[in-house]
Amino acid sequence: MDTLSCLLDGPKARGAFILKSVFAPPWSLRIEDRAPVSVVTMVRGDAWVLPDHGRPVLLRPGDVALLRGPDAYVIADRPETPVQIVIGPEQRCNTTEGEDVTDSMALGVRAWGDDRQLGSSVMLSGTYQAPSEIGRRLLTALPVLLVRPADAGHHPLVQILAEEIGKDEIGQGLVLDRLLDLLLVGVLRAWLTAPESGAPGWYSAQADPVVGPALRLLHEQPATAWTVASLAHSVGVSRAGLARRFTQLVGEPPMAYLTSWRLSLAADLLREPDATVATVARRVGYGGAFALSAAFKRVRGMSPQHFRKSGAAPATQQFTTTAQTVVLDR
């Protein structure tokens, strides 16, 4: 399995908050829901996305934007339109005067807004409530705002989502989740493969004839008792050569990368209801529950048990990136 497939196997929508919003200009929403990542696309009309940390971008119909939390942002018909509604945690919506309009502005199945006649602005949005820890390695590398234009190939999928979002049939939530995943993966894949897009080093490294095979071994066999020497032997290079090249291309030494990968896998597995710390430890390459707990607490600042109970990413894991806004070529 290639590096991207391994990483994208994690962030699957599970009951994502998916909504069609309909507005008559002027309109402006401030999003403060602190969601890990949201997908936004316009079906009709244009909209400006104004992140708190990043340059504004104009979205046209069919453009797909990924917005990485927890930073807040504004979506409006025009940059100068004053904010009218603030969307907070759990998707509660209040006017700037404090009036709760979450229910009063509902327009039917997964529809919300101020214009029942389908005004000039129709927006689709999907919010991932809690991406898996495997996906978090990818999400932490994302810019605050990433946009793939419609003419890059997404417009048909946007239309399918627009048609499906208002249906209330058996399994409809699952259908919408998978459509959202396809939009997300398409944008991520375009970003990672675009030249000079700011994609992380570990993705580019998979094409390297030495580091690429090493990454695949670490991803596919995390429970193996790897050392730099055994990994170097498996890919046919010297220990020093692998360590130097891996660190140069990936940005961290092989064993540090392996530790991070194992703990990301462990965090994902800990969310399974029947998993124990001991069984998770064995599956990701630790000798027992104590060894995993010590590593988990050292790197993530909390025990596996605490992590499982909290159901949230540890505070020590921060989202950092040098690229704040990336717009792929139109």
Side-chain angles (χ1 to χ4, degrees), residues 102-115:
T102 307
D103 298 325
S104 62
M105 292 182 64
L107 299 177
V109 177
R110 302 184 193 89
W112 188 84
D114 65 1
D115 191 346

Side-chain angles (χ1 to χ4, degrees), residues 272-288:
E272 297 180 0
D274 298 330
T276 66
V277 177
T279 58
V280 169
R282 289 192 294 271
R283 290 177 65 179
V284 300
Y286 286 92

Side-chain angles (χ1 to χ4, degrees), residues 14-295:
R14 298 175 178 87
F17 186 84
I18 300 177
L19 188 70
K20 177 172 70 177
S21 299
V22 183
F23 293 101
W27 59 273
S28 180
L29 311 174
R30 180 166 175 81
I31 315 300
E32 298 180 350
D33 59 2
R34 300 186 64 80
V37 65
S38 296
V39 181
V40 175
T41 183
M42 298 302 295
V43 175
R44 183 184 304 165
D46 297 340
W48 281 89
V49 182
L50 302 98
D52 282 5
H53 305 287
R55 64 181 174 88
V57 173
L58 176 64
L59 285 186
R60 300 186 177 98
D63 293 353
V64 180
L66 300 190
L67 291 131
R68 192 210 66 198
D71 291 356
Y73 55 94
V74 170
I75 301 182
D77 66 319
R78 298 175 64 85
E80 62 271 20
T81 301
V83 171
Q84 299 157 348
I85 297 173
V86 178
I87 300 177
E90 299 183 359
Q91 304 301 317
R92 301 305 300 179
C93 308
N94 293 276
T95 66
T96 52
E97 289 76 27
E99 178 188 358
D100 189 329
V101 292
T102 307
D103 298 325
S104 62
M105 292 182 64
L107 299 177
V109 177
R110 302 184 193 89
W112 188 84
D114 65 1
D115 191 346
R116 294 182 179 274
Q117 302 303 314
L118 294 183
S120 59
S121 299
V122 179
M123 176 175 66
L124 307 181
S125 58
T127 301
Y128 285 78
Q129 305 293 333
S132 77
E133 289 299 305
I134 299 174
R136 194 168 296 277
R137 171 176 279 273
L138 181 60
L139 295 175
T140 53
L142 277 173
V144 169
L145 172 59
L146 174 61
V147 178
R148 187 182 188 194
D151 54 15
H154 263 126
H155 197 61
L157 189 56
V158 170
Q159 292 301 321
I160 294 173
L161 180 60
E163 293 170 4
E164 293 287 337
I165 200 168
K167 296 181 181 179
D168 192 17
E169 301 178 1
I170 296 174
Q172 193 63 24
L174 180 62
V175 171
L176 294 174
D177 280 349
R178 297 294 77 81
L179 287 172
L180 184 63
D181 289 340
L182 287 172
L183 280 174
L184 173 72
V185 170
V187 177
L188 292 175
R189 186 166 58 183
W191 170 60
L192 290 170
T193 57
E196 300 181 0
S197 65
W202 47 254
Y203 176 76
S204 302
Q206 71 173 343
D208 185 80
V210 173
V211 179
L215 281 169
R216 285 189 286 275
L217 286 171
L218 296 180
H219 287 154
E220 295 171 2
Q221 303 175 35
T224 298
W226 292 111
T227 63
V228 178
S230 65
L231 188 61
H233 177 75
S234 296
V235 299
V237 297
S238 69
R239 179 187 183 280
L242 175 64
R244 181 174 59 253
R245 190 160 184 81
F246 194 103
T247 303
Q248 177 186 6
L249 295 182
V250 178
E252 58 185 328
M255 294 302 99
Y257 183 90
L258 176 59
T259 296
S260 176
W261 178 246
R262 282 172 168 170
L263 294 180
S264 291
L265 286 169
D268 197 35
L269 292 170
L270 285 166
R271 287 195 168 93
E272 297 180 0
D274 298 330
T276 66
V277 177
T279 58
V280 169
R282 289 192 294 271
R283 290 177 65 179
V284 300
Y286 286 92
F290 179 80
L292 174 60
S293 296

